[in-house]
Amino acid sequence: MFNTITVATDSRGVATLTLDRANKHNAMSGEMIDELTTAALQMAQDDTIRVVILTGTGKSFCAGGDLSWMQAQMAADSATRFVEARKLAEMLQALNTLPKPLIGALQGNAFGGGVGMASVCDVAIGVDHLKMGLTETKLGIIPATIGPYVLARMGEARARRVFMSARLFGAVEAVELGLLSKIVPADQLADAVEAEVLPYLSCAPGAVAAAKQLARDLGPRIDDSVIDHTIGALVSRWETAEAAEGIGAFFEKRKPSWQ
């Protein structure tokens, strides 16, 4: 059914949603974005699913947006850019509003949009050797559509330590920043995730969904107006000379002009 992700559900109703582009470090292509949205909407409607685990194959959890996909947006017309940016924003919101507990199992690095994917999880557990970073500004773009979720998770003061600098940081700092709730050796990741899953299996599913909705209602506002603002901000950056230079430098394997 899917080409870039897999979904498997066990007899308890625990679904594992796996990013499956290991050869591309699970970078989010247009196809993956569409498939993640579809999967999230399907799981939201499936009463047999009690908990969802979000993870990836290979060395990286998610390297962010696929640069070929971003390059295509800069070559597209403005209307197409808005459509594609909205797809990305709607995918993140579909995961963020999933009426099931969403537990992130970060088996490897998370950069750019991968940090956003971790931020929409209710709990994110990572391996102790991983690296993270909001790397967009190195490419002349900004962490726009993921921004509301990153800020909601980290708080503005902590987010500003890493939101603009593209600095990479390790697992310990990711916990300090609030992105990860726990770090464990790789061989203990499955057990740590299972420990997060088990309590939910004794809870009323409807009550869990209602409590998650209430938490979102009481937390930072992420509504249509906020999402529209981030879409506009992303498209505006795609249309800049800096973005063209940054993405171009990456594909040409050279330093951008500002380095």
Side-chain angles (χ1 to χ4, degrees):
M1 181 179 180
F2 297 120
N3 295 319
T4 67
I5 63 173
T6 63
V7 180
T9 305
D10 69 18
S11 60
R12 304 174 300 168
V14 178
T16 301
L17 171 59
T18 305
L19 309 181
D20 195 18
R21 297 185 78 213
N23 62 322
K24 297 291 186 181
H25 293 273
N26 296 322
M28 292 182 288
S29 62
E31 183 178 27
M32 179 182 275
I33 290 167
D34 290 343
E35 291 185 350
L36 282 167
T37 302
T38 298
L41 295 176
Q42 289 176 348
M43 290 188 294
Q45 297 299 317
D46 189 341
D47 292 338
T48 68
I49 293 177
R50 303 281 300 273
V51 184
V52 179
I53 300 167
L54 177 62
T55 190
T57 57
K59 295 180 178 179
S60 300
F61 170 67
C62 178
D66 185 280
L67 288 174
S68 295
W69 176 76
M70 283 191 272
Q71 189 179 45
Q73 307 325 309
M74 289 186 293
D77 59 32
S78 184
T80 300
R81 294 188 189 109
F82 271 96
V83 168
E84 292 301 306
R86 184 167 295 281
K87 287 180 181 179
L88 176 57
E90 289 177 349
M91 179 272 288
L92 291 164
Q93 186 69 327
L95 288 171
N96 189 58
T97 59
L98 186 69
K100 326 276 182 177
L102 182 60
I103 299 171
L106 278 66
Q107 88 293 352
N109 297 339
F111 303 128
V115 177
M117 294 286 278
S119 297
V120 299
C121 295
D122 299 304
V123 175
I125 302 171
V127 293
D128 54 12
H129 62 266
L130 68 72
K131 297 289 185 183
M132 302 183 82
L134 292 149
T135 51
E136 288 87 347
T137 53
K138 274 191 174 181
L139 298 169
I141 55 177
I142 58 174
T145 51
I146 66 171
Y149 311 103
V150 172
L151 269 290
R153 174 56 60 88
M154 298 169 68
E156 182 182 351
R158 288 185 294 186
R160 284 169 66 165
R161 287 167 49 183
V162 294
F163 200 71
M164 302 87 76
S165 67
R167 176 175 65 82
L168 301 187
F169 49 91
V172 171
E173 188 172 2
V175 172
E176 295 172 356
L177 290 168
L179 286 169
L180 299 178
S181 61
K182 184 186 299 183
I183 53 174
V184 295
D187 62 359
Q188 296 178 26
L189 181 60
D191 289 342
V193 170
E194 179 67 9
E196 294 292 337
V197 167
L198 282 176
Y200 286 111
L201 301 181
S202 64
C203 297
V208 170
K212 182 171 178 175
Q213 176 67 54
L214 181 62
R216 291 201 319 273
D217 290 344
L218 297 175
R221 177 176 59 92
I222 306 176
D223 58 15
D224 289 345
S225 64
V226 171
I227 292 170
D228 287 345
H229 179 70
T230 68
I231 291 168
L234 178 58
V235 172
S236 293
R237 286 308 305 177
W238 276 344
E239 295 177 345
T240 63
E242 280 189 345
E245 168 66 7
I247 300 295
F250 175 85
F251 281 104
E252 294 165 16
K253 298 181 179 178
R254 60 174 175 82
K255 292 181 179 180
S257 59
W258 52 79
Q259 281 191 13

